[in-house]
Amino acid sequence: MITTNEMEKVLQTALSSGGDFAELFFEDKDELNIKCSQQILKGITSVHIFGAGIYVLLGTRSVYVYTNNLSFSGLMDAAKRAAELLNACEKLEKRRIVFSMQPVKNPNSVIQYPGTVPHSKKIEVIRETDSAARSAGHTIRQLNVDYFDTDQRILVVNSEGLYTEDRRVTTRLRLQATVEDGKTSHYEWTDFPRPYGFEAFKERNDYISFAQNFIRDIADSMNAVSVPSCVVPVVLEAGSCGVIWHEACGHPLEATAIAANNSDFAGKLGQKVASSKVTVIDDGSIPGLYGTAGIDDEGHPTQKNVLIENGVLKGYLCDRLGGRKLNMPSTGSGRRQGYMFPPAARMTNTYLAPGTDDEDEMISSIDEGLFVKRLGGGNSGREFSVSVSEGYWIKNGKIAHRVKGLMLNARGIDLIKLVDRVGSKIKTEGGGFCGSISGLVTTTSFQPRIRISSMTVGGEGEV
Amino acid sequence: MNFLENYKRAINNLPEHITEAEVNAEQKISVLIGVSCGQIVKTDVSDVTSVYVRASGDKTGYAYTEDLSEDPNKVILKAYNNGIVSDSYKRDILNSPETAYNSLNAAKCAGTANIINFSDIVAKAMLLENLVRSAVPSINTAFANIRVDTFSSRVINSKGVDVYFTRNVVYAQVKVTAEILGDSVDAACSVSASSIEEIDPDSLVSQINNILRNKIKPGNFQPGEYPVILSHNVGVNIMMTAWQLFSGIKYFDGSTVLKGRLGEYIGSSALSIIDTPFHSGTGYCFPFDCEGTPGKETILVDKGKFTGLMHNLSSSSHLNAQPSGNAGRVALLTGNVPTDVIVTPKICFIQPGVRSVEEMLKDMGDGVYITESYDIFHSINIGSGDFAIPCRGIVIKDGKPHHSVTALTICGNLINLFNNIEETGNDLLIDEFLLRSYCVGSPSIRLSKLQVNGK
């Protein structure tokens, strides 16, 4: 690692053609992947990610140069390149940068760093998970159980004198299975992600029951039936169904979308954009969640950001550059997968605040409708879509049968006006990855049980 | 990639217990210029080299590093140690000089990558953005990106293989937001080529105009089964997941709906799917894969008959087939650096037909033209073939656009969809996919029937 004096020189060089801000982002990350396919341990891969990015801003113009040559000369070359590319004005006089250490405590404390745990312990977790899945009582055509751990150390220094570090540790199991019943087969995958070290596997029953439930759910889904296309009330269960907020209004509230004017929420600050029952928050500082960190990837401490309060649009998610474009401060939302991406405004832990409505009444008051227990991944834009992983038909106020092949698909700003019930019991979720402009970042999305007064749903069933 | 000489020395002097080793180094040099309102607003430049190592005794282990100062002997040893605990009963197969790519014998050689001047990239991005802004009516914002990637790959192994190639890909993308019928609408299109001169700004402007022309007055929709035409970008979105049906690894482990069906008819005679290392419709080319195997053209589906699979060395060995140069590392979404050698496409596309989409629409009479779809990763189940894809489109009456409909879902099973193909258009679109590691392509597709839901 280069010295602080050398960092100062690199930043000064990056600023030499007129930039008004420069940042150095260092990443040193170890990953371990263990792959087990059809009960055969296929291989272990050690991964070492090592590089740095130089970010230079002049107003709302940005230059980002990244490299994995972390020698002083390599970084000076990159800084010179960044300055050339900005090429704003004549050479400026160097100004001193005095670094001030900003100690940060990551809210997710780690007990057992993965690098200190022998491979054999991790393999044991894989074997137990594989056995548990196979003992779930269904015919498995194919099963892969993979283990991942990551240990990312980042250092952010900038021309304002910031010098700060964070260490993010995660562990994860990925299960992929194809289950068959003699007539048909169905493939699914799922993750068991944890924002912790190897202590995440201390409670054996957690991952054992997770694996068994995964297989049982695939088998159960094969008995699901299509429903005809219709417009009905939709109840979304507490927990991971919160992904609907991530897709319907989270992405459109990121500074990138607002500044480019391709969000329906642009220019609507202070206006009523949702049902009065809707309060949406993004908070990267909550301990124990997958989207949590001590700082964002620009060194700004993570914080609680209220985006929509009682239906009124209160704020956007801003990174440094997005904030400049919108004339707003950073909200600690500048995130990136790693040094190969410049930072961008991204979500962390996004949730709908609890309301006061009765959870049972939401279902019992519906003659015919859809109850979604789990949502899968989704996609966002002005219109968003989210796949229904586990859904049930509601008939006469009661859960009837499981349904398949559904995708919730609507214009986000229209849908959030239709929320007519918000329950009082909020439930978090394990989390996952969100892929967008600055790569894949860890996030969670959760909520209490809610009801949407009407949505178009339906698959191949007869009308 | 001078540091590789140290790896070469290490590979040629392996300790006794390490019987084989292989290094694949990939260097990606990239320059991206983003222009909006006549000004450069974004510049990204990178130079990153990734080193993938596998080392075998009786079994094989793997390591990956971006730290080029690491001692090659230690990285190879780390890989070897990772293999010790593997359950595999044999080590990975490596290419020999006889089976690996040989530029002298290869029919086409993609070994050149000319230096592209920064100023040329800026000029092209400025020209493109200016043209779009002035040519597209009702435009609010326009953004043009030109990205030039120089990709180099070298594979060295202890059997004497040492192959290298480098290529340039120029990628141009335009995004606009326009005001149409009182509503803000977005449109984007892109193209890739092997040189900056081949990027045709007029063609991109024309594509944007075509997309915006489809944003006509909205209307209601009655769900049901309709004759349908899928636009080429909807076909591309389907292929971004559906290529997995033709992965030798997935076929071997039985995880796709096509398990055991090689040689059977799985689609109509209008459906042919090909995987190829070179195509004039894209700047990408794949002369050899990450194991050093030469890229070969494979007909996966020939007039509806399932005739071939994409293979790496491992899957071809399991299925007693020839490797096709399809060893890659980037599958669908994962939160980690992809390091496993799996099967990925090169340029995998549905064979185009001869008629334009306009002619096909005219012939369809009444039906639905699906113009855009949104979700690549979550809408198709490869195990069952079931899909539910969110999309938007246009209701066609008497062969003419009648009104637009949003928030649609097309539902069904891929095998039924393949069997219902009546015709493919002449508008093949090839697009890059994950981490720019392969391409998929599709023309517009005319279907006799497809379930379309919406309101």
Side-chain angles (χ1 to χ4, degrees):
Chain A
M1 177 63 78
I2 62 171
T3 64
T4 49
N5 282 341
E6 289 169 332
M7 288 177 198
E8 183 187 2
K9 288 190 175 106
V10 172
L11 290 171
Q12 285 169 334
T13 303
L15 289 172
S16 62
S17 72
D20 61 45
F21 172 82
E23 174 197 272
L24 261 168
F25 175 87
F26 292 94
E27 181 185 26
D28 186 359
K29 184 178 183 185
D30 290 303
E31 297 183 358
L32 186 77
N33 310 338
I34 307 178
K35 302 291 174 73
C36 182
S37 175
Q38 303 290 64
Q39 296 179 288
I40 296 170
L41 198 73
K42 291 282 187 183
I44 299 181
T45 308
S46 304
V47 172
H48 187 197
I49 296 166
F50 188 66
I54 300 175
Y55 191 38
V56 187
L57 300 181
L58 173 61
T60 56
R61 262 189 74 189
S62 71
V63 172
Y64 190 67
V65 178
Y66 63 89
T67 178
N68 59 348
N69 182 351
L70 297 198
S71 64
F72 177 56
S73 63
L75 289 168
M76 283 296 279
D77 286 345
K80 283 175 198 159
R81 184 90 167 113
E84 282 167 18
L85 293 170
L86 190 75
N87 194 23
C89 63
E90 293 299 309
K91 204 170 176 181
L92 295 179
E93 212 169 283
K94 286 178 187 167
R95 63 180 169 88
R96 281 303 315 266
I97 301 167
V98 180
F99 293 117
S100 161
M101 293 281 281
Q102 304 288 328
V104 171
K105 186 174 179 338
N106 191 311
N108 290 337
S109 54
V110 173
I111 297 168
Q112 211 172 2
Y113 284 94
T116 65
V117 178
H119 291 352
S120 57
K121 292 276 183 200
K122 299 169 184 175
I123 293 168
E124 199 178 311
V125 169
I126 290 178
R127 303 264 193 233
E128 288 175 340
T129 307
D130 188 284
S131 297
R134 289 177 193 282
S135 69
H138 297 281
T139 306
I140 294 174
R141 186 197 283 178
Q142 165 265 336
L143 175 65
N144 291 0
V145 180
D146 303 330
Y147 167 94
F148 302 88
D149 58 50
T150 67
D151 184 350
Q152 183 198 38
R153 284 85 60 189
I154 66 157
L155 165 65
V156 185
V157 296
N158 70 29
S159 55
E160 293 172 350
L162 178 76
Y163 184 110
T164 188
E165 297 168 286
D166 198 6
R167 186 170 184 179
R168 295 109 176 225
V169 173
T170 67
T171 45
R172 179 167 62 102
L173 290 172
R174 169 160 290 189
L175 282 72
Q176 300 175 74
T178 306
V179 174
E180 60 189 356
D181 62 5
K183 289 177 286 186
T184 182
S185 61
H186 197 78
Y187 165 86
E188 282 295 344
W189 66 269
T190 190
D191 277 351
F192 180 85
R194 293 292 181 268
Y196 305 122
F198 195 70
E199 70 272 16
F201 302 101
K202 195 176 165 193
E203 295 299 327
R204 186 175 169 275
N205 194 46
D206 287 355
Y207 54 91
I208 294 295
S209 55
F210 180 84
Q212 289 175 332
N213 291 338
F214 168 59
I215 298 297
R216 285 174 189 146
D217 181 67
I218 300 175
D220 191 37
S221 71
M222 292 163 75
N223 298 319
V225 295
S226 296
V227 288
S229 187
C230 51
V231 180
V232 289
V234 176
V235 177
L236 295 157
E237 182 59 303
S240 67
C241 286
V243 75
I244 202 154
W245 300 101
H246 181 103
E247 304 295 1
C249 62
H251 281 300
L253 290 172
E254 291 166 345
T256 316
I258 300 293
N261 199 29
N262 51 25
S263 164
D264 286 334
F265 294 90
K268 291 193 167 66
L269 273 181
Q271 294 181 25
K272 187 91 187 293
V273 293
S275 149
S276 301
K277 290 179 180 285
V278 169
T279 293
V280 180
I281 294 161
D282 185 87
D283 187 348
S285 67
I286 305 170
L289 295 184
Y290 208 50
T292 295
I295 50 174
D296 71 0
D297 293 313
E298 297 182 295
H300 192 292
T302 51
Q303 64 185 44
K304 179 177 178 177
N305 296 304
V306 179
L307 303 174
I308 298 173
E309 190 171 30
N310 301 326
V312 176
L313 183 60
K314 290 289 183 183
Y316 301 128
L317 290 172
C318 293
D319 60 323
R320 181 183 295 271
L321 177 62
R324 284 182 175 206
K325 289 177 180 172
L326 300 176
N327 200 21
M328 298 172 91
S330 165
T331 54
S333 309
R335 304 189 72 198
R336 51 183 138 192
Q337 181 173 330
Y339 75 94
M340 293 192 198
F341 297 87
R346 303 289 295 275
M347 285 169 272
T348 56
N349 306 301
T350 311
Y351 64 96
L352 179 75
T356 55
D357 294 316
D358 180 76
E359 272 80 2
D360 294 335
E361 186 272 343
M362 289 186 210
I363 293 174
S364 64
S365 59
I366 293 176
D367 289 338
E368 198 148 18
L370 176 69
F371 174 56
V372 180
K373 202 164 175 189
R374 271 185 309 123
L375 285 172
N379 191 56
S380 187
R382 290 182 201 274
E383 286 162 32
F384 77 96
S385 63
V386 196
S387 60
V388 176
S389 299
E390 187 178 353
Y392 299 86
W393 201 243
I394 301 171
K395 191 96 180 164
N396 299 327
K398 292 200 167 68
I399 304 289
H401 56 269
R402 188 159 178 173
V403 295
K404 70 170 184 180
L406 293 185
M407 184 68 78
L408 300 183
N409 183 8
R411 194 154 181 149
I413 201 160
D414 294 338
L415 181 97
I416 62 177
K417 292 183 174 76
L418 302 176
V419 175
D420 67 356
R421 302 278 196 285
V422 176
S424 58
K425 297 167 197 158
I426 194 162
K427 191 177 158 197
T428 60
E429 59 123 7
F433 296 98
C434 166
S436 186
I437 186 170
S438 58
L440 290 172
V441 298
T442 54
T443 57
T444 64
S445 315
F446 52 96
Q447 62 167 30
R449 184 182 285 184
I450 66 164
R451 191 172 81 175
I452 295 161
S453 56
S454 75
M455 270 196 95
T456 304
V457 299
E460 284 192 288
E462 294 296 317
V463 179
Chain B
M1 294 199 277
N2 294 334
F3 72 95
L4 275 180
E5 295 311 311
N6 295 332
Y7 273 93
K8 199 167 180 178
R9 268 192 291 280
I11 278 179
N12 289 333
N13 295 286
L14 292 172
E16 205 173 312
H17 56 285
I18 304 181
T19 53
E20 288 181 349
E22 178 187 83
V23 176
N24 171 214
E26 293 182 348
Q27 184 182 29
K28 291 173 186 163
I29 301 172
S30 184
V31 177
L32 179 148
I33 302 294
V35 173
S36 185
C37 297
Q39 294 193 321
I40 298 174
V41 290
K42 183 182 169 88
T43 309
D44 291 351
V45 176
S46 64
D47 180 354
V48 170
T49 300
S50 306
V51 182
Y52 303 86
V53 175
R54 53 179 165 178
S56 308
D58 296 331
K59 302 165 181 180
T60 302
Y62 312 89
Y64 167 89
T65 186
E66 292 169 7
D67 184 352
L68 308 185
S69 63
E70 275 193 81
D71 178 351
N73 294 298
K74 288 185 178 167
V75 179
I76 291 170
L77 185 62
K78 195 194 289 181
Y80 170 80
N81 286 335
N82 282 339
I84 291 172
V85 292
S86 161
D87 290 335
S88 295
Y89 55 90
K90 58 183 181 182
R91 59 177 174 255
D92 284 3
I93 303 163
L94 301 185
N95 268 309
S96 67
E98 291 73 37
T99 57
Y101 174 76
N102 180 333
S103 61
L104 296 175
N105 297 335
K108 294 181 184 177
C109 179
T112 54
N114 298 323
I115 295 168
I116 296 179
N117 287 327
F118 181 73
S119 56
D120 292 342
I121 305 170
V122 172
K124 196 79 173 194
M126 289 282 194
L127 173 73
L128 182 56
E129 195 268 347
N130 184 48
L131 208 58
V132 171
R133 208 159 17 93
S134 53
V136 178
S138 321
I139 201 159
N140 279 341
T141 58
F143 188 79
N145 266 336
I146 299 277
R147 193 189 73 226
V148 177
D149 292 333
T150 303
F151 174 81
S152 307
S153 176
R154 186 171 170 188
V155 179
I156 303 168
N157 75 28
S158 54
K159 289 182 159 182
V161 169
D162 186 352
V163 292
Y164 174 80
F165 92 100
T166 185
R167 69 162 182 246
N168 276 337
V169 173
V170 182
Y171 186 81
Q173 186 187 44
V174 181
K175 291 181 183 174
V176 302
T177 301
E179 197 78 15
I180 295 178
L181 300 167
D183 198 10
S184 291
V185 294
D186 309 318
C189 67
S190 59
V191 68
S192 73
S194 55
S195 72
I196 206 150
E197 294 77 24
E198 291 170 48
I199 299 288
D200 177 8
D202 291 327
S203 154
L204 284 160
V205 171
S206 165
Q207 283 184 53
I208 287 285
N209 270 322
N210 280 340
I211 295 168
L212 293 176
R213 257 196 295 276
N214 287 331
K215 316 272 186 183
I216 58 174
K217 69 174 172 53
N220 288 332
F221 185 73
Q222 178 64 42
E225 222 171 47
Y226 289 93
V228 162
I229 291 176
L230 305 176
S231 73
H232 57 186
N233 53 333
V234 175
V236 164
N237 271 2
I238 290 173
M239 285 297 288
M240 283 179 176
T241 306
W243 67 261
Q244 296 175 93
L245 295 172
F246 308 103
S247 153
I249 287 180
K250 289 194 174 286
Y251 189 82
F252 177 68
D253 70 22
S255 59
T256 84
V257 68
L258 291 184
K259 179 200 174 193
R261 297 190 63 181
L262 194 61
E264 291 180 21
Y265 281 89
I266 59 159
S268 79
S269 60
L271 176 69
S272 292
I273 302 177
I274 294 164
D275 181 67
T276 181
F278 304 96
H279 195 285
S280 58
T282 176
Y284 283 85
C285 63
F286 303 87
F288 63 82
D289 66 14
C290 71
E291 296 179 317
T293 306
K296 292 176 186 163
E297 180 167 298
T298 308
I299 299 175
L300 306 171
V301 179
D302 186 16
K303 298 186 179 72
K305 188 175 181 182
F306 181 18
T307 52
L309 289 161
M310 300 181 285
H311 284 298
N312 61 14
L313 288 172
S314 169
S315 70
S316 62
S317 155
H318 286 310
L319 292 166
N320 200 22
Q322 287 295 311
S324 50
N326 285 98
R329 295 194 175 87
V330 186
L332 300 184
L333 280 180
T334 170
N336 296 71
V337 172
T339 52
D340 290 5
V341 177
I342 58 168
V343 167
T344 58
K346 299 183 288 282
I347 302 163
C348 183
F349 65 98
I350 296 174
Q351 182 88 303
V354 293
R355 297 204 305 159
S356 69
V357 68
E358 290 78 15
E359 288 172 296
M360 293 197 296
L361 283 167
K362 205 172 165 188
D363 273 8
M364 185 170 68
D366 291 354
V368 185
Y369 178 31
I370 303 294
T371 54
E372 293 168 62
S373 62
Y374 313 120
D375 196 310
I376 299 167
F377 298 108
H378 312 99
S379 51
I380 298 177
N381 190 300
I382 289 299
S384 64
D386 291 340
F387 63 84
I389 303 172
C391 54
R392 57 164 49 194
I394 296 173
V395 172
I396 304 293
K397 289 197 174 168
D398 294 329
K400 290 178 188 149
H402 190 267
H403 65 267
S404 67
V405 274
T406 59
L408 298 177
T409 308
I410 50 173
C411 304
N413 187 281
L414 279 179
I415 306 305
N416 293 338
L417 184 143
F418 289 164
N419 277 298
N420 291 336
I421 295 177
E422 292 188 321
E423 185 182 8
T424 56
N426 62 4
D427 55 347
L428 176 65
L429 172 71
I430 295 176
D431 205 357
E432 63 181 26
F433 196 36
L434 284 172
L435 303 178
R436 309 166 207 165
S437 56
Y438 51 87
C439 297
V440 294
S442 172
S444 296
I445 300 169
R446 181 178 166 191
L447 302 165
S448 57
K449 58 182 178 180
L450 183 65
Q451 177 73 31
V452 187
N453 293 327
K455 67 173 178 179

